[in-house]
């Protein structure tokens, strides 16, 4: 099956800093999504990307779908303590199956 | 805001026992899913369900697993004879007419002893 590689695996940043994480795949996905998971909770959809090159924002979050449809990045501006959590990229495979990356753990130092 | 609910939040069982994990998807949704997440690992797709039948399943979803929508509101995952390696968080998700916007429940933590 298709694999998604996320980097970095974890980050520890100062409150107020901008954050960037990315995700790559060896195969093409038609739809790319970014989720956040808080401890003990299910993943929550942050941003969905549908078109190659698409740049989409959701508040302090910005994500872009790579031109080749094999990569995406997520930026968080001016991080705050509640941004702590695990961020997953996911690709929508044929049909309705989501393939998740391994996640980026974000820790924010206040 | 409508949400997916799951019960129980934590299930402990002995190896070889049957377990049923329950989910109540968002009421007007048409697609239902089960995913699992082994501790510290990524979320993995198990199965999708539409129009009262399985539409897709992964290689993890073997004969020990089954899903059912016994009535108009519940969606269940049954594991017939649990193994130690079945210990994980199991997430239910649902979506309306688009599989993109899948809403996840809070999960059931299954511990097999």
């Amino acid at each position: 099956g298709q694999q998604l590689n996320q980097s970095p695996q974890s980050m520890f940043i100062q409150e107020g800093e901008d954050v960037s994480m990315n995700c790559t795949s060896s195969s093409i996905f038609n739809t790319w999504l970014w989720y956040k998971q808080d401890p003990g909770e299910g993943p929550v959809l942050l941003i969905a990307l549908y078109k190659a090159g698409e740049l989409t924002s959701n508040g302090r979050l910005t994500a872009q779908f790579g031109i080749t449809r094999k990569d995406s990045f997520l930026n968080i501006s001016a991080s705050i303590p509640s941004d702590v959590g695990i961020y997953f990229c996911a690709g929508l495979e044929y049909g309705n199956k989501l393939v998740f990356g391994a996640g980026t753990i974000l820790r924010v130092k206040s | 805001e409508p949400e997916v609910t799951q019960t129980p939040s934590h299930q402990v069982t002995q190896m070889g026992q049957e377990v049923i994990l329950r989910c109540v998807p968002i009421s007007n949704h048409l697609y239902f899913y089960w995913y699992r997440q082994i501790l510290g690992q990524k979320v993995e797709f198990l199965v999708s369900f539409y129009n009262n039948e399985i539409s897709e399943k992964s290689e993890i979803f073997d004969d020990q697993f089954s899903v059912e929508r016994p009535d108009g509101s519940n969606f269940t995952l049954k594991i017939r004879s649990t193994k130690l390696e079945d210990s994980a968080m199991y997430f239910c998700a649902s979506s309306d007419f688009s599989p993109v916007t899948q809403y996840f429940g809070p999960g059931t933590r299954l511990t097999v002893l």
Side-chain angles (χ1 to χ4, degrees):
Chain A
Q2 297 183 339
Q3 300 279 340
L4 296 179
N5 299 305
Q6 279 189 252
S7 62
Q9 288 186 325
S10 66
M11 335 181 45
F12 192 34
I13 62 169
Q14 290 280 349
E15 182 179 355
E17 284 185 349
D18 296 344
V19 175
S20 185
M21 60 190 78
N22 62 66
C23 192
T24 60
S25 168
S26 57
S27 305
I28 291 172
F29 284 103
N30 288 324
T31 303
W32 207 296
L33 307 109
W34 285 94
Y35 282 85
K36 183 191 178 199
Q37 185 179 29
D38 291 326
E41 302 289 328
V44 174
L45 181 62
L46 299 174
I47 290 180
L49 301 162
Y50 303 96
K51 299 178 183 177
E54 178 181 355
L55 184 71
T56 297
S57 293
N58 178 9
R60 293 180 297 107
L61 307 177
T62 302
Q64 185 161 28
F65 199 175
I67 291 293
T68 64
R69 291 182 174 273
K70 292 184 178 181
D71 63 292
S72 175
F73 71 74
L74 175 70
N75 287 342
I76 305 172
S77 63
S79 57
I80 59 178
S82 61
D83 289 334
V84 164
I86 305 176
Y87 291 80
F88 290 100
C89 62
L92 187 66
E93 219 174 51
Y94 51 85
N96 45 31
K97 171 184 173 182
L98 284 177
V99 177
F100 282 82
T104 292
I105 301 171
L106 181 63
R107 300 180 179 92
V108 179
K109 184 177 180 181
S110 59
Chain B
E1 183 176 326
E3 59 182 17
V4 176
T5 60
Q6 291 185 243
T7 55
S9 57
H10 191 188
Q11 174 87 46
V12 181
T13 189
Q14 294 288 330
M15 188 170 57
Q17 295 295 306
E18 174 183 288
V19 294
I20 297 176
L21 309 183
R22 303 180 191 280
C23 169
V24 178
I26 295 173
S27 63
N28 60 343
H29 282 189
L30 303 175
Y31 294 86
F32 314 111
Y33 314 85
W34 283 100
Y35 291 80
R36 80 170 186 191
Q37 185 179 33
I38 294 171
L39 186 63
Q41 298 186 23
K42 63 183 178 182
V43 178
E44 299 174 291
F45 171 83
L46 292 178
V47 66
S48 60
F49 192 87
Y50 171 73
N51 201 24
N52 284 320
E53 62 183 22
I54 291 174
S55 52
E56 212 164 340
K57 60 182 180 179
S58 72
E59 51 277 7
I60 302 169
F61 194 88
D62 61 21
D63 293 344
Q64 293 299 311
F65 291 86
S66 62
V67 290
E68 192 178 30
R69 188 154 163 81
D71 52 43
S73 60
N74 291 285
F75 180 51
T76 63
L77 174 69
K78 181 192 291 186
I79 308 175
R80 289 188 184 81
S81 178
T82 50
K83 302 187 284 286
L84 295 176
E85 54 265 37
D86 292 328
S87 295
M89 282 289 284
Y90 287 81
F91 293 106
C92 173
S94 69
S95 61
D96 47 22
F97 54 84
S98 165
V100 175
T101 48
Q102 297 183 22
Y103 293 87
F104 283 75
T108 291
R109 179 171 298 284
L110 176 65
T111 302
V112 182
L113 303 176

